[in-house]
Amino acid sequence: MLALLFILFAGMAVGCAVSMVAQRNPLYSAISLIGVFISLACLYVTLAAPFIAAVQVIVYAGAIMVLVVFVIMLLNVEEEERGPLRLRSLVPIAVGLAAVLFAEAAFIIFFVQASPATPTRNISDVGLTSSIGAGLFTTYLLPFEITSILLLMAIVGAITLARRGGLLRADVAVVPGTQVLARDVLDPFVPPDTRPIVAHTTEEVEEQLGLKGVPHLRDE
């Protein structure tokens, strides 16, 4: 039964991988890659490693592929146009490498399984969720907690950088574009003044501040 499931999921993984390479639309390639990840997760389940299977689906098929699809949609990547093949030697090389891969897979399936030295039962519980949880909260408790602190510091740093990105420097004198800013933000040499300055261009800012024609503003 396990052999049939392995052949089924392995065939699905290989088929999705071929579809990922053959597709010209990057979005379809990303969806095919999700099929590869799910097929690999099913293979991990048949190998008595449910935790690795769950991580495969949650991290790779979930978070990473959502990021990849988001970037593809954001960049609006269109379907690739077929052009002339520059290196024609790549085709026979790819066929040869694929033949070597299938030969290795056939050797493992037929010869290794038939060997009397191949174990027929589970020899380790490393992939089980209970053993991984026990290891994280006993032997590796300190590295686990340090990792959580590092992630928290990364989140705080990202929030801090995001908040600083929208602030102006103290020496900013003229801000082009559609802005509504206080007078003392645009001109640091005047006393504190919270009256708003509404302007659409640099020239309007200079005129309202009384700085029109000052040459050093253009140089900055």
Side-chain angles (χ1 to χ4, degrees), residues 77-96:
V77 181
E78 299 179 355
E79 184 176 354
E80 182 182 358
E81 297 180 359
R82 294 181 180 271
L85 186 62
R86 296 182 179 179
L87 300 177
R88 299 185 180 276
S89 60
L90 293 178
V91 176
I93 292 175
V95 174

Side-chain angles (χ1 to χ4, degrees), residues 35-56:
V36 175
F37 289 151
I38 294 177
S39 302
L40 292 179
C42 295
L43 289 176
Y44 290 144
V45 172
T46 60
L47 295 175
F51 181 80
I52 301 177
V55 171
Q56 180 78 18

Side-chain angles (χ1 to χ4, degrees), residues 8-34:
L8 174 63
F9 295 135
M12 290 174 56
V14 173
C16 292
V18 173
S19 175
M20 179 191 67
V21 177
Q23 292 289 343
R24 294 293 179 178
N25 193 320
L27 183 60
Y28 294 158
S29 297
I31 295 174
S32 300
L33 185 58
I34 294 175

Side-chain angles (χ1 to χ4, degrees), residues 18-187:
V18 173
S19 175
M20 179 191 67
V21 177
Q23 292 289 343
R24 294 293 179 178
N25 193 320
L27 183 60
Y28 294 158
S29 297
I31 295 174
S32 300
L33 185 58
I34 294 175
V36 175
F37 289 151
I38 294 177
S39 302
L40 292 179
C42 295
L43 289 176
Y44 290 144
V45 172
T46 60
L47 295 175
F51 181 80
I52 301 177
V55 171
Q56 180 78 18
V57 173
I58 295 173
V59 176
Y60 286 95
I64 293 180
M65 290 312 302
V66 167
L67 178 62
V68 171
V69 173
F70 178 77
V71 171
I72 293 174
M73 300 297 290
L74 183 64
L75 297 178
N76 194 20
V77 181
E78 299 179 355
E79 184 176 354
E80 182 182 358
E81 297 180 359
R82 294 181 180 271
L85 186 62
R86 296 182 179 179
L87 300 177
R88 299 185 180 276
S89 60
L90 293 178
V91 176
I93 292 175
V95 174
L97 293 177
V100 172
L101 178 62
F102 280 108
E104 292 179 353
F107 175 78
I108 294 174
I109 293 174
F110 294 103
F111 293 97
V112 176
Q113 292 293 332
S115 175
T118 302
T120 58
R121 60 183 180 84
N122 294 332
I123 60 176
S124 176
D125 60 347
V126 174
L128 299 180
T129 308
S130 58
S131 63
I132 295 176
L136 284 178
F137 292 100
T138 55
T139 306
Y140 303 99
L141 179 60
L142 181 60
F144 180 75
E145 293 298 333
I146 292 176
T147 304
S148 63
I149 294 175
L150 290 177
L151 292 176
L152 180 61
M153 293 173 60
I155 294 173
V156 174
I159 294 174
T160 304
L161 292 176
R163 293 185 61 185
R164 288 182 178 179
L167 299 178
L168 295 175
R169 301 190 311 272
D171 57 348
V172 173
V174 177
V175 180
T178 304
Q179 301 286 342
V180 180
L181 299 172
R183 182 180 294 272
D184 56 354
V185 174
L186 298 174
D187 190 357

